[in-house]
Amino acid sequence: VLHGIGFLSRFFLKFFNGLNADENYIIAPQAPAKYYLNNEYKHVGASWLTKESTVMETANVISYLDAILATEDIPPNINLIVFGFSQGVSIAVRWVAHSKLKCSQLVLYAGGIPNELTQGDLKILKDNDSKITIIFGNKDEFLNEERLKIESEKINRLFYGRAKQLIFDGGHEIKQELIHRLI
């Protein structure tokens, strides 16, 4: 599970509380760049990428995630679900694309899909018959009509028209009940 900007993974994990621990093993990597939130020097948040050196940072983050997955040594018969929220969506999609990650499900929750990706980059999802779910709130402050149109076009193009879209009543937030319904 890949958190959004401003989260620390230990706090992001609370959204997955209540999932059956005998059936679910949650790995929540921490984004590498930390910073103080709201310029108050009290609370710390983290970020996966910035617009500065994005290509190099993306390669570093993907190597980091590949190393974590290799260390976990997950058996091949396990259903691997890749979940990204907000900024974590761009990381999740790039990771699947660049590492040719065979996941049973890709959940993209309230985030943008990177512009540089092509349908061929994500062919692994089609070949693996991965389930793809896109989730967003109908009042998400980051999704205006134009952005929603652009993201919808990318979703249809990149995921071979196979992505299921779930729209909930709310903003840029995580609804824990949706996570429990999907996983």
Side-chain angles (χ1 to χ4, degrees), residues 1 20-28 72 74 78-81:
V1 296
N20 184 334
D22 292 332
E23 296 177 4
N24 297 283
Y25 179 71
I26 310 293
I27 303 168
E72 292 294 336
I74 297 171
I78 298 300
N79 287 324
L80 177 64
I81 299 170

Side-chain angles (χ1 to χ4, degrees), residues 58-178:
T58 299
N60 289 342
V61 166
I62 289 169
S63 293
Y64 165 62
L65 295 174
D66 285 343
I68 290 170
L69 192 60
T71 300
E72 292 294 336
D73 196 27
I74 297 171
N77 64 324
I78 298 300
N79 287 324
L80 177 64
I81 299 170
V82 177
F83 179 101
F85 172 70
S86 193
Q87 189 186 42
V89 166
S90 71
I91 300 303
V93 177
R94 284 176 170 126
W95 185 31
V96 168
H98 292 288
S99 295
K100 304 298 181 219
L101 197 61
K102 292 181 180 178
C103 58
S104 58
Q105 183 170 275
L106 175 63
V107 180
L108 306 177
Y109 198 126
I113 297 168
N115 293 325
E116 78 270 9
L117 296 176
T118 67
Q119 197 177 52
D121 293 330
L122 294 165
K123 189 174 180 297
I124 188 75
L125 295 171
K126 184 179 180 190
D127 293 348
N128 199 47
D129 200 28
S130 302
K131 183 177 173 183
I132 303 151
T133 307
I134 314 292
I135 306 170
F136 61 92
N138 60 358
K139 297 175 185 123
D140 190 322
E141 59 268 29
F142 298 108
L143 276 179
N144 59 30
E145 194 173 316
E146 181 183 340
R147 176 108 190 263
L148 189 56
K149 181 182 175 197
I150 291 167
E151 290 300 317
S152 292
E153 288 170 359
K154 283 192 276 186
I155 290 164
N156 288 328
R157 184 182 76 246
L158 293 174
F159 302 119
Y160 300 88
R162 294 179 42 237
K164 177 181 174 184
Q165 292 189 40
L166 294 176
I167 304 167
F168 64 90
D169 186 31
H172 195 75
E173 61 190 301
I174 295 180
K175 300 276 188 177
Q176 195 170 17
E177 62 271 13
L178 289 175

